[in-house]
Amino acid sequence: MNDIINFLKNRRSVTAKKMKDGHVSDEHLKEIIECGIRVPDHAALNPWKLVILRGDTRKVLGESVLRPEFINNNNNSTEDEILRETNRFLRANVIIAVLFTPVEGTKIPEWEMMLSTGAVCQNLLVAAQSFNYAAQWLTEWYAYNNTMIEKLGGNPRKDKIAGFVGDLSNMESSYIFKEFFDRTLNTNNYDCRDRTDFFNFSSLHLRLNAYYPYFIYAIPEWDLVEVKSTTRD
């Protein structure tokens, strides 16, 4: 049995409550994203957006969106419940929000765009786990909240949150997977590991480079980084 098949047969998601504080390196995050966007995409529409949540952004979103929205929809909630919901995004070092953003004015069925978005979520999950990170594909109540969709740069009238992938953190010792890969997964036959300057996640400036199979730009109101692919499957 080859290593990839063995890994896929043995991988398991790790629930957020079993994660612990850790650090996701920029290098690993860059490669996770590269793998995440290498999905079948009919007509190369890119019907999805990736928004990276890290640092203070997690707390800001918790205080400004999770807390008030939870209270608004749960009038009898306790202080402990409110605190738990407010801190949802603090359970992991990095969270990747995946938005389904269907493209209008095309002959491609919306259902196929939705499937492509789901494939992005799965690729992100598997790629994160290949680096031995605890990871989970979550939705939870706030994935269906219009205010959250807006804050992540989506349009509530047509866009949806496909999930938050993967609540990345260092894996608990009892959940460590066997290391199956002894080399960097590289689907594009080029090495971009020396271009760490490209991944400046605190920058609020447009960053474009044809050398990469995607581009990154930030949403000015938040320190959010959005990813879109420039290649097709």
Side-chain angles (χ1 to χ4, degrees):
M1 184 184 300
N2 68 49
D3 289 344
I4 295 177
I5 295 298
N6 197 21
F7 170 77
L8 292 175
K9 290 180 66 175
N10 287 279
R11 59 145 297 279
R12 293 292 184 276
S13 294
V14 178
T15 60
K17 65 182 180 180
K18 293 180 179 177
M19 295 180 187
K20 63 179 181 180
D21 291 338
H23 174 71
V24 179
S25 71
D26 287 353
E27 178 63 28
H28 283 174
L29 185 56
K30 177 170 59 177
E31 300 211 46
I32 289 169
I33 292 171
E34 287 184 351
C35 294
I37 63 177
R38 296 298 298 178
V39 298
D41 177 10
H42 195 173
L45 297 174
N46 295 316
W48 34 260
K49 295 178 182 178
L50 274 59
V51 182
I52 301 168
L53 312 179
R54 67 188 315 188
D56 291 341
T57 298
R58 299 167 302 152
K59 183 177 181 180
V60 171
L61 284 175
E63 294 288 347
S64 63
V65 180
L66 296 182
R67 180 183 177 87
E69 291 298 312
F70 179 75
I71 293 175
N72 184 55
N73 292 284
N74 299 272
N75 295 328
N76 298 321
S77 55
T78 66
E79 286 299 321
D80 286 342
E81 290 172 335
I82 294 173
L83 181 62
R84 182 187 65 232
E85 298 303 322
T86 302
N87 293 332
R88 285 281 183 181
F89 288 147
L90 298 181
R91 294 175 296 183
N93 182 252
V94 175
I95 299 171
I96 305 175
V98 181
L99 278 75
F100 168 55
T101 57
V103 177
E104 300 175 337
T106 176
K107 294 181 180 180
I108 307 303
E110 185 173 302
W111 169 238
E112 294 187 13
M113 301 183 210
M114 188 178 298
L115 290 172
S116 181
T117 305
V120 170
C121 292
Q122 180 67 9
N123 272 17
L124 290 170
L125 179 65
V126 171
Q129 291 172 338
S130 75
F131 283 117
N132 209 33
Y133 289 115
Q136 186 179 20
W137 175 359
L138 290 172
T139 49
E140 300 187 320
W141 64 267
Y142 44 89
Y144 303 94
N145 181 273
N146 286 342
T147 301
M148 179 61 72
I149 294 174
E150 289 180 345
K151 292 300 183 182
L152 294 178
N155 180 352
R157 293 190 297 275
K158 68 180 186 67
D159 300 338
K160 300 181 184 298
I161 295 176
F164 296 90
V165 184
D167 274 356
L168 308 175
S169 184
N170 285 352
M171 191 169 290
E172 294 280 7
S173 58
S174 60
Y175 289 89
I176 293 180
F177 295 127
K178 179 182 178 181
E179 288 288 348
F180 294 113
F181 302 106
D182 58 2
R183 61 183 174 82
T184 300
L185 179 61
N186 192 329
T187 61
N188 296 287
N189 297 318
Y190 58 77
D191 190 347
C192 59
R193 284 174 290 179
D194 61 338
R195 293 298 305 276
T196 54
D197 61 302
F198 180 76
F199 257 69
N200 180 2
F201 290 101
S202 62
S203 173
L204 293 181
H205 299 288
L206 182 67
R207 310 295 295 274
L208 286 171
N209 193 320
Y211 184 69
Y212 292 87
Y214 51 83
F215 61 82
I216 297 177
Y217 59 96
I219 302 172
E221 183 180 359
W222 308 94
D223 191 8
L224 307 181
V225 181
E226 185 175 308
V227 180
K228 292 286 284 185
S229 173
T230 60
T231 63
R232 60 186 303 166
D233 185 65

